[in-house]
Structure formats: structure tokens, C-alpha cells
Amino acid sequence: MFTVMEMVQPKTVEEAYEILTKRKNNQVIGGSAWLRMGSKRIGTAVELSQLGLDYIKDSGDYIEIGAMTTFRSLETSKLLEENFGSIIKDSVKDIIGVQFRNVVTIGGTIFSKFGFSDLIVALLALECEVKLVRNGKLALREFLNKEYEKDLLTKIYIKKNNVKASYKSLRNAQSDYALLNVSVSKFEDKVKIYVGARPQIATLAIKASEFLSNNELTDENIEKAAFMVSEELTFGTNMRATKEYRSLMSKVLVKRALMEVR
Ligand SMILES: Cc1cc2nc3c(=O)[nH]c(=O)nc-3n(C[C@H](O)[C@H](O)[C@H](O)COP(=O)(O)OP(=O)(O)OC[C@H]3O[C@@H](n4cnc5c(N)ncnc54)[C@H](O)[C@@H]3O)c2cc1C
């Protein structure tokens, strides 16, 4: 369990950021499910619940989601389902249980850049952007590739563009982390395939995505693209699976996700 020397609940984002960056050991508290697994000593804990960042709203061209929005809110949101189908719900609905999903936040998830993250791989397929106090607005993909820097994530944006998208994952046991997760999207002629929990952070399968963006989604081409993914991406071994198993299973999950999108 972590230790907190002092806790503040700022009323504005500016105040929260100022306190966060005042001292090295000051830290943001989101849902705190992850933090409580560790033993950090936090100087000033900046708790965000008074900032009004728990929302999912339609702002015209985008759906905006506040950093303190929980997985359960994502899972039960009609607005998200109407705009993006079931991909977001599918990515979070099997994580632990409802009580847990009522606590964990999208801010804590995205900022932590977990390699195993189910939500991150789904959001990548939807061309999500993140908003940070210090770094401003940037594509999720860009944020994931950036070096760690102390910052405060306030919200994410997902463009309303009628993209078709699908999410698939594989677990050894229901409450375990995914040993592989995959998302696929098709917008006009552009196909994108992301694979996460390799176990490294989710990444785009560039060659396979290009191949399918230039060719029909026939059974044969889907098969070929699934094989290309298993060849072009690197997979690793950890306690959940070997790299060979991950590579083999990537073909299966990519194929299923592509067929769903078709
Ligand atoms: C037991 C367990 C099992 C899990 N299983 C899965 C799983 O199967 N699949 C999956 O995808 N995820 C899983 N997770 C991860 C979980 O979904 C969340 O991603 C994780 O708990 C972080 O969210 P949080 O709200 O708890 O963050 P916190 O614990 O509050 O914070 C985590 C980190 O993010 C920082 N932070 C929080 N909010 C912000 C913000 N707005 N801006 C900047 N920094 C911020 C904190 O300072 C901290 O460093 C699991 C977590 C646990 C504890």
C-alpha cells in the first residue's frame, strides 16, 4: 500500500498541475487501484475528483471523455455505443469485476501506458487524441511513444467518423491480464491493425495494415494479412505466454477482428 504525507483536492486543473509539479514526489491520484498495489511514498497526493473530469460528452465532431471517467461508465455508455459500436465496451467489460471497473479511471490507465492495457489498444483503433496540461493535445499513438514526463491528463477526444472497429483478446484465466490483445479499424479504404500485450505496448502492424488498405477484405487477403502481422511484429515471452505462442495467436485474433469489421 502507498503512503501519502498530505492530500489535496484542487478545484481547478491549473491548481492541480501547479501542486503536482511543485515537488518530485507529488503525484496524481486517479482511481488509485494501481497505486495501492505498490509501496510509493507520495509527498502531496493530488486527488482529482473535484475537477469535474468524470464525463462522456458529445462536442460536435468529437466525443470527449474526462480523465476521471471510470471503465464502468465507458462500458455502460449509450453515447459511445451509438458512435463506435461495442469496441470500447468489449475492451473493458471482462476486466476483474463491476466494483473494480467502477473505480479505475481512463486517466490512470492511459497515463500509465501499460503494455497489457485492453483499453489503450481499443482507443488506438479509434484514432484517439489525449489532452495534457503541459504537452497539450496529441495523438494517443504519439503520447505512447513519448518519454515519461510529469504531466496531468485531463481528457481524451475520439473523432466521430463512422469508423468500423473490433477488439479481441486472449487470457489464460478470466481475471488475468490479456496475453495478447488486438484491435482493427476500417475507415473508408484505410485499414489499421494494432496488437498489444505482446507483452510490450500496443503498436500498429504497418505492413499488414497497408496491404489491406490497398486490397479487398477477401478471405484470402485476411488470411495473408494475419500472417503478415505475426511476421512483422516482435513478440516477447513472460509468465503468461511464450513469444512463439503470442505470434501464433496473433494470427487467430487478427483474423477474427478483420472478419468482424468486414
Ligand atoms: C489487480 C489489477 C488488475 C488489472 N487488470 C487489468 C486488465 O486485465 N486489463 C487492463 O487493461 N487493465 C488492468 N488493470 C489496470 C487498470 O485497468 C487501470 O489501468 C489501473 O488501475 C490504473 O487506473 P487507476 O485509476 O487505478 O490509476 P491510479 O492507480 O490512480 O494511478 C495510476 C498512475 O497514473 C497516474 N495518474 C492517474 N490519473 C492521472 C491523470 N489524469 N493524469 C496523469 N497521471 C495520472 C498516477 O499518478 C499513477 O502514477 C488492472 C489493475 C489492477 C490493480
Side-chain angles (χ1 to χ4, degrees), residues 27-37 40 48 67 71 95-96 100 103-105 107-109 111-112 114 116-119 151-154 171 176-178:
Q27 191 153 6
V28 172
I29 305 275
S32 86
W34 189 260
L35 276 171
R36 76 183 70 173
M37 302 251 292
K40 270 194 176 162
L48 306 181
F71 279 15
I95 300 174
I96 313 275
F100 182 82
V103 167
V104 297
T105 62
T109 297
F111 201 80
S112 299
F114 299 120
F116 59 77
S117 175
D118 296 295
L119 180 64
D151 208 337
L152 176 59
L153 192 150
T154 54
R171 288 171 153 75
D176 199 4
Y177 300 114

Side-chain angles (χ1 to χ4, degrees), residues 24-183:
K24 208 173 164 205
N25 66 346
N26 292 358
Q27 191 153 6
V28 172
I29 305 275
S32 86
W34 189 260
L35 276 171
R36 76 183 70 173
M37 302 251 292
S39 54
K40 270 194 176 162
R41 276 181 77 80
I42 298 175
T44 303
V46 185
E47 204 278 335
L48 306 181
S49 62
Q50 303 300 306
L51 297 181
L53 296 178
D54 180 1
Y55 61 81
I56 301 174
K57 69 179 184 207
D58 190 333
S59 64
D61 289 344
Y62 294 90
I63 298 293
E64 297 183 8
I65 310 177
M68 286 298 279
T69 307
T70 66
F71 279 15
R72 182 66 178 161
S73 299
L74 300 181
E75 183 186 349
T76 54
S77 165
K78 289 266 170 299
L79 190 59
L80 292 181
E81 184 133 29
E82 277 161 23
N83 281 280
F84 311 112
S86 66
I87 180 169
I88 293 179
K89 179 182 180 169
D90 290 346
S91 72
V92 295
K93 70 179 174 37
D94 294 321
I95 300 174
I96 313 275
V98 171
Q99 284 175 317
F100 182 82
R101 299 197 294 277
N102 265 323
V103 167
V104 297
T105 62
I106 66 155
T109 297
I110 296 175
F111 201 80
S112 299
K113 303 183 183 177
F114 299 120
F116 59 77
S117 175
D118 296 295
L119 180 64
I120 287 178
V121 78
L123 291 176
L124 281 167
L126 298 175
E127 303 286 334
C128 169
E129 291 168 285
V130 300
K131 177 85 185 286
L132 300 136
V133 175
R134 183 187 167 98
N135 277 287
K137 191 174 173 185
L138 63 168
L140 173 59
R141 225 179 127 189
E142 198 186 329
F143 172 67
L144 294 176
N145 290 326
K146 259 176 102 62
E147 286 218 352
Y148 173 80
E149 205 178 345
K150 204 168 218 187
D151 208 337
L152 176 59
L153 192 150
T154 54
K155 62 174 156 178
I156 65 170
Y157 303 79
I158 311 178
K159 196 157 176 66
K160 290 161 61 184
N161 58 4
N162 282 326
V163 66
K164 285 187 186 142
S166 169
Y167 168 86
K168 301 284 169 207
S169 72
L170 187 62
R171 288 171 153 75
N172 286 324
Q174 210 179 351
S175 59
D176 199 4
Y177 300 114
L179 65 88
L180 200 68
N181 48 32
V182 164
S183 68

